[in-house]
Amino acid sequence: MTEYDVIVIGAGAAGLMCAAQAGQRGRRVLVVDHAKKPGRKILISGGGRCNFTNYDVTANNFLCENPHFVKSALAQYSQWDFIGLVATHGVAYHERDHGQLFCDDSAKDIVNLLLAECDQATINQRYRCEVHDIEQEEAGFRLKLNGEPVRCQSLVVATGGLSMPKLGATPFGYQLAEQFGLKVLPTRAALVPYTLHQEDKTRFADISGVSVPCSITTESGVCFSENLLFTHRGLSGPAVLQTSSFWQPGEAVTIDLLPSESLKDVLVAMRDKHPNQTLKTSLSRLFPKRLVEVLIARDSLPDKPLKQLDDKQFDQLHHYVHQWSIAPNGTEGYRTAEVTLGGVDTHAVSSKTLEARDIPGLYFIGEVLDVTGWLGGYNFQWAWSSGWVAGQHV
Ligand code: FAD
């Protein structure tokens, strides 16, 4: 029977990082994946340019039932370590808003970087490989790979979450955790667009494609100021994706379409200066024209010169623009979600090594764990940090 020191299940971001590190420590490593090639999510991430980390990473950028859990791994392998690795491989990158770092050319550069790191050691890789019949033995694990029995001392579960089943996402990691008696916290699609009730969908049908800066606040009081995008299915854009991780079904969100100014003050100032300017023209200086139509139609406001509108009408519009409450019908679910909330309970896993506390030799890394980053490169940073740390201990 073929024996390895380490078998990593999942050749995604976390699994490849872990395999490379373990291999560079001289461990005999096999990384397996049921997909036909490695890093498929990396390749489509960040619109093809992979938002691979962020200049500003703290534990506050992650959702986890055990809020201190991420600290150790993020400290052991930080964003600066990964940025250094990117520079070593000569990958060109740039910064966008909020400290987000993207490849200049292609997300392929990140997959190639990981594969080059694997090539610095002899890492065996097997694709289109199904894993079955995992059993614990005295000195490790026995499992079947496409029916062939193999053994390893350390087994690393890096099978990710449930988002994008088309790209090979499966609940394998959760099932394995449960097989070994680890708790799995309920999962839910996150960083995902909202869908709308039919009435709202009809109301916004004509503004599909319109994008505006805004602030969105959830009922739990979490607020993100970024862009909102109206789509033919509902609401998307970074502000929506961010809040979706904190939103609970049945709740409403409050959207402020003009977060940096008071609409009433702006309209009053415009009325003083340009009393004959119509409401539509005035609003068009603040919002895209197609959105203005929706704003006016909603409150049945007349498109009259500003001097003919009273403060009550301004108040009405002010309230709508700054406190537009909308109850999403749901989300687009795992089909389009970037990540999965919940997963393997981190209380059962060492934050210092990523090894299961009660199952020596079994490791969980990346998104399969109950660790979910904000939008902005945090999910990849978690994959790099947790993969690197496990790679030092397997
Ligand atoms: P994955 O990268 O998902 O890898 C898991 C691997 O396990 C896969 O290769 C899969 O084929 C394999 N696998 C699953 N089940 C089995 C099984 N039963 N047997 C064998 N193999 C199996 N995050 C960012 O930080 N920045 C971004 O720009 C960004 N953009 C994204 C865009 C999209 C469209 C999506 C879907 C996600 C994006 N993310 C982004 C999130 C990020 O991709 C994930 O958080 C990250 O890939 C998780 O790494 P992972 O290694 O844990 O899991």
Side-chain angles (χ1 to χ4, degrees):
M1 190 187 305
T2 318
E3 300 203 9
Y4 296 92
D5 295 328
V6 183
I7 293 180
V8 179
I9 309 175
L16 289 174
M17 174 58 103
C18 176
Q21 286 305 311
Q24 289 173 23
R25 283 175 48 234
R27 308 291 280 155
R28 282 172 305 150
V29 181
L30 169 67
V31 55
V32 299
D33 203 297
H34 68 162
K36 59 180 181 215
K37 57 180 189 178
R40 289 186 74 197
K41 264 192 202 163
I42 303 173
L43 292 172
I44 59 149
S45 67
R49 292 234 159 83
C50 185
N51 176 197
F52 56 82
T53 192
N54 195 291
Y55 273 140
D56 187 19
V57 180
T58 73
N60 296 334
N61 302 114
F62 296 87
L63 288 92
C64 177
E65 285 281 303
N66 178 4
H68 300 295
F69 180 77
V70 296
K71 289 182 178 169
S72 175
L74 293 176
Q76 290 183 64
Y77 191 82
S78 72
Q79 71 273 35
W80 305 112
D81 293 309
F82 194 75
I83 293 166
L85 188 67
V86 165
T88 308
H89 285 263
V91 175
Y93 63 93
H94 60 276
E95 181 185 358
R96 295 195 194 159
D97 288 352
H98 311 291
Q100 304 172 92
L101 300 186
F102 286 78
C103 296
D104 281 358
D105 296 325
S106 162
K108 227 185 203 167
D109 289 344
I110 299 295
V111 176
N112 289 340
L113 172 160
L114 294 165
L115 294 176
E117 284 292 306
C118 286
D119 285 346
Q120 286 184 25
T122 314
I123 310 279
N124 296 284
Q125 298 177 40
R126 273 201 219 169
Y127 296 99
R128 298 181 199 268
C129 180
E130 299 295 333
V131 186
H132 294 290
D133 299 344
I134 300 176
E135 283 168 36
Q136 193 176 16
E137 294 188 324
E138 216 171 293
F141 300 87
R142 172 206 280 262
L143 51 151
K144 282 191 183 149
L145 302 177
N146 286 344
E148 179 204 337
V150 293
R151 274 205 179 101
C152 61
Q153 288 167 15
S154 298
L155 183 64
V156 182
V157 184
T159 46
L162 295 174
S163 59
M164 299 236 167
K166 251 191 184 166
L167 292 183
T170 70
F172 181 92
Y174 307 139
Q175 290 160 356
L176 185 62
E178 282 172 342
Q179 178 191 330
F180 284 98
L182 278 79
K183 193 168 151 194
V184 176
L185 299 174
T187 56
R188 188 156 60 82
L191 298 183
V192 61
Y194 293 133
T195 54
L196 296 175
H197 291 284
Q198 192 52 48
E199 187 192 338
D200 287 325
K201 241 183 177 170
T202 311
R203 186 183 306 160
F204 304 132
D206 290 341
I207 52 173
S208 165
V210 168
S211 172
V212 280
C214 75
S215 292
I216 305 188
T217 308
T218 63
E219 283 190 15
S220 58
V222 176
C223 176
F224 285 95
S225 296
E226 300 213 34
N227 269 28
L228 160 69
L229 172 70
F230 294 88
T231 72
H232 61 284
R233 278 193 290 264
L235 303 177
S236 188
V240 164
L241 301 187
Q242 294 281 33
T243 56
S244 70
S245 301
F246 299 86
W247 175 80
Q248 297 291 338
E251 288 184 357
V253 292
T254 305
I255 301 174
D256 184 343
L257 291 168
L258 196 63
S260 52
E261 295 174 274
S262 152
L263 180 68
K264 187 172 178 191
D265 290 353
V266 174
L267 288 177
V268 168
M270 279 184 181
R271 187 173 57 190
D272 290 348
K273 238 177 155 183
H274 310 286
N276 292 317
Q277 186 171 280
T278 65
L279 181 61
K280 254 191 206 171
T281 308
S282 309
L283 291 174
S284 300
R285 298 185 192 276
L286 302 167
F287 306 107
K289 279 203 176 81
R290 283 194 284 157
L291 178 60
V292 170
E293 298 288 347
V294 171
L295 293 175
I296 289 186
R298 194 224 180 225
D299 278 354
S300 317
L301 288 169
D303 182 27
K304 289 183 181 165
L306 293 177
K307 67 180 181 194
Q308 292 178 26
L309 295 169
D310 57 29
D311 279 7
K312 205 173 142 218
Q313 286 167 312
F314 281 1
D315 284 337
Q316 207 177 319
L317 202 52
H318 177 95
H319 181 79
Y320 182 37
V321 162
H322 289 290
Q323 283 182 297
W324 172 36
S325 173
I326 185 157
N329 186 21
T331 72
E332 289 186 8
Y334 293 120
R335 192 178 57 81
T336 59
E338 288 201 7
V339 285
T340 303
L341 273 174
V344 177
D345 187 356
T346 57
H347 290 96
V349 176
S350 159
S351 63
K352 295 193 173 57
T353 64
L354 281 308
E355 188 175 20
R357 289 187 191 283
D358 295 333
I359 316 284
L362 183 64
Y363 292 77
F364 290 87
I365 57 174
E367 203 184 312
V368 72
L369 284 163
D370 166 40
V371 173
T372 308
W374 291 7
L375 189 76
Y378 302 102
N379 286 295
F380 278 135
Q381 185 56 47
W382 173 245
W384 316 137
S385 296
S386 58
W388 188 92
V389 167
Q392 311 309 310
H393 293 92
V394 285

